[in-house]
Amino acid sequence: PPTTTATTEAPTPPPPTTTATTTTTTTEAPSSVPKLPIRASVTLTGMTKDAFDASKFIAATAKTMQIKTQDITDVKVVEVEATTTSTRRSLLMTNLEVSFKVAVQNMEQAMEINDRFGDAVEKGLFETNLKEAGITSFTSINAPNLNVSEAQDDTSNPTTEMITTTNTAAPTTTTTTTTTTTTT
């Protein structure tokens, strides 16, 4: 008898699937702007060193000048005795001279901050900001001063202060490649 042979082929597996994903992220670095620290000072009448808090002073002063707190540096305080003489008696009072530096970009910004600070002292805004920050043991504020001449735009006439530059990282690029191979 004849024999019949049936041949069945197994299904051909599909080719492997490869998926490639590439993600590129570029982050721009902020520009580096040179800042010049100019000297500034103010006298808090009737206050002692023990009652002074530099971080609170910086916060209140930055708020008053409308600048960042990190733009105020090198805060130093010195107690100075002030004598008031009247016909009946002599009073001894302690004043606190506070000196600090304010980082500015140019003469124009120095003048704006100087005007803003002077107006704020005159109108009582600086006093309010100090008290809101927790500095309350002074009787008055005297002699606000920003040495704006240190913010000269003319580089041919340098000042004795050093220019500081905020360094920032260069732009970075991150590339992620993911390869997935699936076999069924």
Side-chain angles (χ1 to χ4, degrees), residues 96-107:
L96 195 62
E97 290 182 3
V98 184
S99 64
F100 54 101
K101 292 185 179 176
V102 178
V104 297
Q105 294 176 0
N106 53 38
M107 179 67 84

Side-chain angles (χ1 to χ4, degrees), residues 28-30 167-172:
E28 293 294 323
N167 294 322
T168 56
T172 57

Side-chain angles (χ1 to χ4, degrees), residues 4 16 43 63 71 74 76 81-82 87-88 97 131 138 160 162:
T4 308
T43 302
K63 180 179 179 181
D71 288 338
D74 201 25
K76 296 178 183 169
E81 292 183 358
T87 54
R88 296 180 136 193
E97 290 182 3
K131 288 181 177 179
F138 61 93
T160 57
M162 292 192 52

Side-chain angles (χ1 to χ4, degrees), residues 44-53 77 79 94-96 137:
L44 302 176
T45 306
M47 188 167 191
T48 63
K49 277 182 167 181
D50 294 335
F52 184 78
D53 182 322
V77 293
E79 286 183 349
T94 302
N95 293 339
L96 195 62
S137 61

Side-chain angles (χ1 to χ4, degrees), residues 7-174:
T7 307
T8 307
E9 290 186 30
T12 307
T17 306
T18 303
T19 306
T21 306
T22 303
T23 306
T24 304
T25 306
T26 303
T27 306
E28 293 294 323
S31 61
S32 179
V33 179
K35 291 205 170 189
L36 181 66
I38 60 172
R39 290 176 290 181
S41 63
V42 67
T43 302
L44 302 176
T45 306
M47 188 167 191
T48 63
K49 277 182 167 181
D50 294 335
F52 184 78
D53 182 322
S55 61
K56 291 177 180 179
F57 177 83
I58 290 171
T61 305
K63 180 179 179 181
T64 302
M65 293 180 172
Q66 299 174 15
I67 59 175
K68 295 177 182 174
T69 56
Q70 56 265 40
D71 288 338
I72 298 176
T73 60
D74 201 25
V75 177
K76 296 178 183 169
V77 293
V78 176
E79 286 183 349
V80 179
E81 292 183 358
T83 305
T84 303
T85 307
S86 68
T87 54
R88 296 180 136 193
R89 61 183 177 178
S90 177
L91 299 175
L92 192 60
M93 185 184 329
T94 302
N95 293 339
L96 195 62
E97 290 182 3
V98 184
S99 64
F100 54 101
K101 292 185 179 176
V102 178
V104 297
Q105 294 176 0
N106 53 38
M107 179 67 84
E108 181 181 344
Q109 185 186 27
M111 295 294 289
E112 288 171 3
I113 292 171
N114 184 55
D115 291 346
R116 199 175 301 134
F117 190 50
D119 288 346
V121 170
E122 185 179 312
K123 294 176 181 174
L125 178 62
F126 185 48
E127 179 179 355
T128 299
N129 289 342
L130 285 170
K131 288 181 177 179
E132 285 177 357
I135 297 178
T136 58
S137 61
F138 61 93
T139 57
S140 65
I141 301 170
N142 297 322
N145 179 41
L146 254 69
N147 197 349
V148 294
S149 64
E150 293 178 355
Q152 298 174 10
D153 288 327
D154 182 4
T155 56
S156 65
N157 189 7
T159 65
T160 57
E161 296 292 326
M162 292 192 52
I163 294 176
T164 58
T165 302
T166 305
N167 294 322
T168 56
T172 57
T173 301
T174 305

